[in-house]
Amino acid sequence: MTIDRQRRTEGLIALALFTLTIPLANWLIGNAGTVCVPDGPCLVPVAPGIKAPSGVLMVGLALVLRDIVQRRLGPLAGLGAIAIGALISGLLAPPAIVLASTTAFLLSELADFTIYTPLQRRNFVAAVAASSVFGLVVDSFVFLWLAFGSLDFLTGQIIGKAWMVLLALPLMHLLRRRDERIGLAPA
């Protein structure tokens, strides 16, 4: 397999996984957790004494996967992934949270893109970390405010999403090292 074909294949796989995180996050929020709040989200523990809506885990992963899409397929593909993700979010979110889900997704992914793009050529792993943290804060604030009119779960949202980003960072380091070893440059 050529380097270009490998880059494209890995980018398409990342895009497919990215798009799957969106319906999964929306499903989790209404269906899976240790407790489901009436007229509210299902919650999972993210730290001792702190709970967050269960979809947070997928949102943290989505931010990292979008960065990989951009690394493999380029900035236009990254923006295209954001547009596709916002559409999927709008189509699949439960009616009560469709505006919150779509708006939070769009704004957080664009924030991630804005931070990641200038940093990624200098330090890929730091770019993923910085852009994801910024994006997850935007997503948490916008989603909670629009969906529930409350920031009660803000700390839990941020912690839950940060866990997924933290778990992904060692893999991003390995990906960068492998790319260097085989001569696979970012798109």
Side-chain angles (χ1 to χ4, degrees), residues 67 71 112 115-134 165 169 172-173 176:
D67 291 344
R71 181 171 177 86
D112 180 286
I115 302 295
Y116 174 81
T117 300
L119 297 178
Q120 54 112 3
R121 292 228 184 240
R122 284 181 280 178
N123 188 328
F124 170 63
V125 177
V128 170
S131 65
S132 296
V133 167
F134 192 73
V165 172
L169 289 179
M172 298 304 98
H173 176 72
R176 181 191 54 80

Side-chain angles (χ1 to χ4, degrees), residues 3 5 7 14 38 41 43 50 66 72 75 78 86 119 122 135 151:
I3 293 292
R5 184 175 171 98
R7 179 186 303 113
L43 306 172
I50 300 175
R66 208 256 351 124
R72 291 294 186 249
L119 297 178
R122 284 181 280 178
L151 298 177

